[in-house]
Amino acid sequence: MKNFLPFVVIISMCGFLWFALDKTGNASNAQITSKATPSFRLGTVLDPQKIISENDLKGKITILNVWASWCPACQAEHDFWLSMVKDPKIQLIGLNVLDELSEAKNFLINLGNPYEFTIFDNQNKLGMDLGVSGTPETILLDKQGIIRYRYMGPMDSTIWQEKFVPELKKISG
Amino acid sequence: MEDKYSLKREKLPEIRMPENNIASKNVMSEDQYFFKNIEDQKLFNKIIHELRCTVCQNQSLAESSAVFAQNLRQVIYQQVQEGRREEEITCFVVERYGEFANFKPPFLNYTLILWLGPIIMLLLAFKFFCKNLKKN
């Protein structure tokens, strides 16, 4: 039994380390969830004079898709958003970050506009307050504007079905 | 003698290509920061070396050329210029990006093993070493 003691100790240590690293090491889980949308006042890409605030992200379930025109992965996922079947209970909102207004406009004009509106955040102030660390990223907000889920990386139908549909069921049920 | 308000230039890293599929627009020129005094410059340097670039693989904010890292460096620079303390700035980043953003994990219940693990391992190794030494 004594001979096994070092192995037992090492295996237990590895277990604890795994647990501790798992708690701190996952970026998307570590970022803010279950928090209210921070307050903001920003224009939209297609109409910079139209001011949007956190109240516009309440009342309906919101899918907030963070993108930029310079991001190839955002172009890759754009077809998915265009093909998404519209649901009156869900609003798809864009959040354009760290971009030029003209480039962002051209992106929507040339590739199509699946969003109800796209918030223009060239300073990434709202993006940073939401904990956005890259594009594309998709954030799910409930009717009260509370962040319920987030996914970093390009969206496709598999990820949508596997990750978002169960979360949507949870918050709409 | 150096004037208190003379400008000190802090150069940041050269351009590197993104390493993962999360888009990271590259910084096409080196960031340049100007500081009121050497303490601010040191504080800025310390913070950007202790925080992680959340979009890159194991790079600090100082090392990363990703546009999001550049944006966060700019915010940290502004906060340093405003006279904010190190803890306040770190807290600002951790509140938004989680403990993942901090290279130095806090001393909490779930990180106890990270802090104490190496010491326990060292003590155990020392104990076995002494035991084997006696045997021989």
Side-chain angles (χ1 to χ4, degrees), chain A residues 7-28:
Chain A
F7 295 106
V8 173
V9 171
I10 288 167
I11 289 167
S12 322
M13 293 288 285
C14 289
F16 279 122
L17 281 169
W18 180 270
F19 172 74
L21 287 169
D22 193 48
K23 271 250 184 189
T24 55
N26 188 322
S28 58

Side-chain angles (χ1 to χ4, degrees), chain A:
Chain A
M1 180 65 200
K2 261 191 168 180
N3 292 337
F4 287 106
L5 194 64
F7 295 106
V8 173
V9 171
I10 288 167
I11 289 167
S12 322
M13 293 288 285
C14 289
F16 279 122
L17 281 169
W18 180 270
F19 172 74
L21 287 169
D22 193 48
K23 271 250 184 189
T24 55
N26 188 322
S28 58
N29 285 343
Q31 287 166 308
I32 51 173
T33 47
S34 307
K35 285 190 179 177
T37 314
S39 58
F40 68 93
R41 283 177 66 78
L42 291 164
T44 70
V45 167
L46 296 179
D47 183 4
Q49 307 304 319
K50 184 184 173 186
I51 299 298
I52 302 293
S53 76
E54 66 278 13
N55 293 328
D56 294 294
L57 305 183
K58 290 177 187 168
K60 272 185 179 182
I61 292 170
T62 302
I63 308 286
L64 188 66
N65 178 232
V66 188
W67 63 275
S69 66
W70 45 261
C71 147
C74 302
Q75 292 186 23
E77 69 162 12
H78 202 67
D79 279 345
F80 169 78
W81 296 120
L82 287 167
S83 68
M84 198 171 132
V85 180
K86 295 212 168 178
D87 181 334
K89 291 176 194 161
I90 300 172
Q91 56 177 357
L92 175 63
I93 309 291
L95 173 60
N96 174 269
V97 292
L98 297 168
D99 212 342
E100 300 290 334
L101 186 61
S102 57
E103 299 287 327
K105 262 186 193 173
N106 284 340
F107 183 96
L108 292 178
I109 292 165
N110 295 334
L111 298 180
N113 183 6
Y115 309 109
E116 295 203 11
F117 55 83
T118 297
I119 303 161
F120 182 59
D121 184 17
N122 62 334
Q123 301 286 312
N124 192 34
K125 281 186 179 165
L126 174 59
M128 195 172 283
D129 284 344
L130 285 167
V132 171
S133 56
T135 50
E137 184 166 331
T138 305
I139 301 170
L140 174 63
L141 307 170
D142 67 15
K143 286 179 189 171
Q144 286 75 42
I146 311 285
I147 301 165
R148 291 298 178 197
Y149 188 71
R150 58 195 312 146
Y151 178 78
M152 277 173 72
M155 182 66 67
D156 59 30
S157 51
T158 311
I159 293 162
W160 178 260
Q161 286 298 328
E162 282 179 6
K163 314 253 183 197
F164 275 79
V165 170
E167 295 296 327
L168 277 167
K169 278 181 185 162
K170 267 190 227 167
I171 59 174
S172 10

